[in-house]
Amino acid sequence: MSRALDTAVAALMREAAEKAILPHYQKLASHEINQKAADDLVTIADTESEALLAEGLARILPEAAIVGEEASHADAQVMTHLSDSLCWIIDPVDGTNNFAAGKPPFGIIIALAEKGETVAGWIYDPLSGRLCSAHRGQGAWIDGERFTARASGQPKPVAAISLVFIEAARRAALLEHIAPHYTLVDVPRCAAEQYPRIGLGQNDVSIFERTLAWDHAAGVLFLNESGGKAARPDGSAFRVDRHLEPGLIGAASPALFDDLAERMAMLSPSVSK
């Protein structure tokens, strides 16, 4: 089942890239870019891609509910399906701010969840054609090759810490008490790129504050199945039906995760949540 599912989902993601995303890349008119919220954009490529993906996924597994990022923005009730017995989760263009600015990285993310737990995930880069995938209990893959996460090997682990959605006191505490122990690098503002960077040894750890299901479900599974570790800072598992809770750590190994989680636990209670 997983091989057939991989083939069908991969073909659908490539179709969405070719028909709905890349034709608009670096060609967006001003009226084709809208602001959903502060620092959160949506483009015609997002809406066209989600429509194409939702239709295709419904054909692949008609019994599964569908939760798309843009559908959820239009109607928050859509998110109640995240705890259904089967549920597709779609990020039609992850890294929309980058895409709207006409620059990489951006990608497509699809996950399949069962009663709130991710059981399969796919992350596709339309520009390079790289496809990361994972199935629960079956390992992780990049472009059809079995994949094992690796650390950077740098003397100070490389950290990408997303500060965009972190309130001021917590941001200051992270920069004062956590950052000095790491070599900081810029975040790509694209989960479809950040999770592969962790596994591929470009980054060792990453801290995410906002953990929406369409951004993180596939990446968390991919990292865990590849031998890394992604979880809540207290070590509890990420569940898609609790995705509005803040805080998530991704790491290239369990040891790197534990070290960062221990440092974060030492922050004062007022800034560690």
Side-chain angles (χ1 to χ4, degrees):
M1 175 62 178
S2 60
R3 181 174 296 181
L5 194 61
D6 280 342
T7 300
V9 172
L12 181 62
M13 296 174 95
R14 294 186 182 103
E15 181 184 3
E18 292 168 4
K19 292 183 178 180
I21 298 175
L22 293 178
H24 296 294
Y25 184 48
Q26 298 179 333
K27 298 176 183 178
L28 289 168
S30 59
H31 70 274
E32 294 175 327
I33 306 172
N34 293 291
Q35 191 164 13
K36 293 192 293 187
D39 205 43
D40 195 4
L41 301 178
V42 60
T43 74
I44 188 173
D46 294 81
T47 54
E48 289 184 356
S49 176
E50 183 162 308
L52 189 155
L53 291 168
E55 182 180 351
L57 293 172
R59 290 195 301 268
I60 294 170
L61 278 182
E63 66 271 32
I66 295 177
V67 175
E69 178 180 3
E70 305 314 326
S72 299
H73 175 72
D75 179 6
Q77 285 297 112
V78 171
M79 290 189 284
T80 62
H81 292 293
L82 288 169
S83 57
D84 280 11
S85 56
L86 275 179
C87 173
W88 290 112
I89 305 167
I90 305 170
D91 192 335
V93 181
D94 184 61
T96 296
N97 283 36
N98 297 334
F99 182 84
K103 63 181 184 181
F106 55 89
I108 303 172
I109 305 176
I110 293 175
L112 181 65
E114 183 178 45
K115 298 180 180 178
E117 296 183 2
T118 310
V119 296
W122 300 264
I123 304 172
Y124 182 65
D125 181 341
L127 293 178
S128 70
R130 181 187 65 199
L131 177 64
C132 303
S133 62
H135 291 264
R136 187 176 63 184
Q138 298 180 40
W141 307 78
I142 296 182
D143 296 332
E145 298 291 332
R146 187 68 177 260
F147 175 73
T148 301
R150 57 183 182 269
S152 71
Q154 296 299 312
K156 290 176 68 174
V158 179
I161 302 176
S162 179
L163 300 173
V164 178
F165 301 103
I166 298 180
E167 56 88 24
R170 179 172 169 80
R171 184 184 302 117
L174 288 172
L175 291 174
E176 180 179 357
H177 300 291
I178 303 297
H181 300 282
Y182 297 89
T183 298
L184 296 188
V185 294
D186 290 338
V187 298
R189 298 205 64 182
C190 175
E193 175 65 18
Q194 185 59 56
Y195 281 102
R197 284 187 185 184
I198 298 170
L200 288 165
Q202 295 172 262
N203 297 165
D204 290 298
V205 295
S206 193
I207 298 174
F208 307 95
E209 183 73 0
R210 193 170 72 164
T211 64
L212 298 173
W214 38 84
D215 290 327
H216 295 279
V220 166
L221 183 67
F222 172 76
L223 201 52
N224 286 328
E225 287 292 326
S226 67
K229 183 172 180 179
R232 298 297 188 182
D234 64 2
S236 60
F238 173 79
R239 291 182 56 88
V240 301
D241 53 0
R242 298 177 62 180
H243 73 137
L244 297 180
E245 298 175 7
L248 185 67
I249 295 174
S253 72
L256 285 162
F257 178 97
D258 291 344
D259 184 65
L260 178 52
E262 183 178 351
R263 295 185 190 281
M264 292 183 67
M266 290 189 291
L267 297 178
S268 65
S270 63
V271 297
S272 63
K273 296 181 180 179

